[in-house]
Amino acid sequence: MTYILIFISAVFVNNIVLSQFLGICPFLGVSKKIDTAIGMTGAVTFVMTIATIVTYLIQKGILEPYGIDFLQTIVFILIIASLVQLVEIVLKKVSPPLYQALGVFLPLITTNCAILGVAILVIQKEMNLLESVTYAISSAIGFGLALIIFAGLREQMDLLNIPKGMKGTPIALVVAGLLAMAFMGFSGIV
């Protein structure tokens, strides 16, 4: 039951993008096409899950036992950067079109505060390893859900006659705010 609550909470109630406002840069930058959003979701899911496992093990196995918790942020950033490099190499070989579509936003996963935020949150919430993995996967699914919905809305907005002053980023921010408000409707479930 705990894992179901973690899942529902991370995906809907405390959505990493729409409730906690982490990962806004890729949310706004990669959400112009659904295909790109799906690719970014896959990359973020992989990196977030693996990064959470590795950072959890390093936190519990090295940082806490040796009393060097103050190095947590820098160590976590280095781990995430290494994992993103791995994803970049794999995507370049496996799917060159997706690699080109993600463009500059793939290296931005390195500094994606959603990934770092999840890695730090599981430590702060004192979750065990299985709960941490569940939370990471659920947060990535929540990130992907928000990103794909937003990408679909942006594709539909391209077909609309929007006033010149609202085209592009202004209307995207308004729609993102409305989407965040819609997700607030889930609060109180968990």
Side-chain angles (χ1 to χ4, degrees):
M1 187 65 169
T2 302
Y3 301 105
I4 294 170
L5 292 176
I6 290 172
F7 178 81
I8 292 170
S9 175
V11 173
F12 299 109
V13 180
N14 296 317
N15 187 287
I16 200 81
V17 176
L18 300 174
S19 293
Q20 298 181 28
F21 306 111
L22 298 173
I24 297 295
C25 182
F27 177 71
L28 292 173
V30 186
S31 61
K32 292 181 182 168
K33 295 186 179 183
I34 292 178
D35 296 340
T36 310
I38 291 170
M40 179 59 103
T41 298
V44 167
T45 302
F46 175 77
V47 172
M48 191 177 286
T49 305
I50 301 301
T52 301
I53 293 169
V54 173
T55 55
Y56 180 88
L57 294 173
I58 287 177
Q59 176 74 24
K60 298 297 181 186
I62 298 172
L63 299 179
E64 286 180 8
Y66 292 106
I68 51 175
D69 295 4
F70 60 90
L71 293 175
Q72 180 187 56
T73 304
I74 191 81
V75 169
F76 285 12
I77 289 171
L78 291 173
I79 291 168
I80 292 166
S82 301
L83 289 170
V84 169
Q85 288 300 312
L86 177 69
V87 168
E88 196 169 356
I89 290 167
V90 169
L91 272 182
K92 199 173 196 179
K93 297 284 183 192
V94 174
S95 180
L98 179 58
Y99 176 77
Q100 291 295 329
L102 291 175
V104 72
F105 294 102
L106 189 57
L108 284 178
I109 294 176
T110 304
T111 57
N112 186 342
C113 55
I115 295 171
L116 180 61
V118 168
I120 291 174
L121 282 171
V122 298
I123 302 299
Q124 288 177 347
K125 293 181 179 187
E126 297 179 358
M127 295 181 173
N128 62 36
L129 184 59
L130 193 53
E131 290 171 342
S132 299
V133 171
T134 303
Y135 183 73
I137 292 170
S138 301
S139 293
I141 291 170
F143 176 85
L145 178 68
L147 188 63
I148 292 167
I149 290 171
F150 190 56
L153 290 171
R154 287 185 78 175
E155 282 186 3
Q156 289 298 314
M157 285 189 299
D158 288 342
L159 303 174
L160 300 175
N161 187 15
I162 297 172
K164 187 176 180 182
M166 287 298 288
K167 282 190 187 257
T169 305
I171 193 70
L173 291 173
V174 169
V175 171
L178 292 171
L179 187 58
M181 287 175 52
F183 267 69
M184 289 175 92
F186 293 115
S187 61
I189 291 177
V190 177

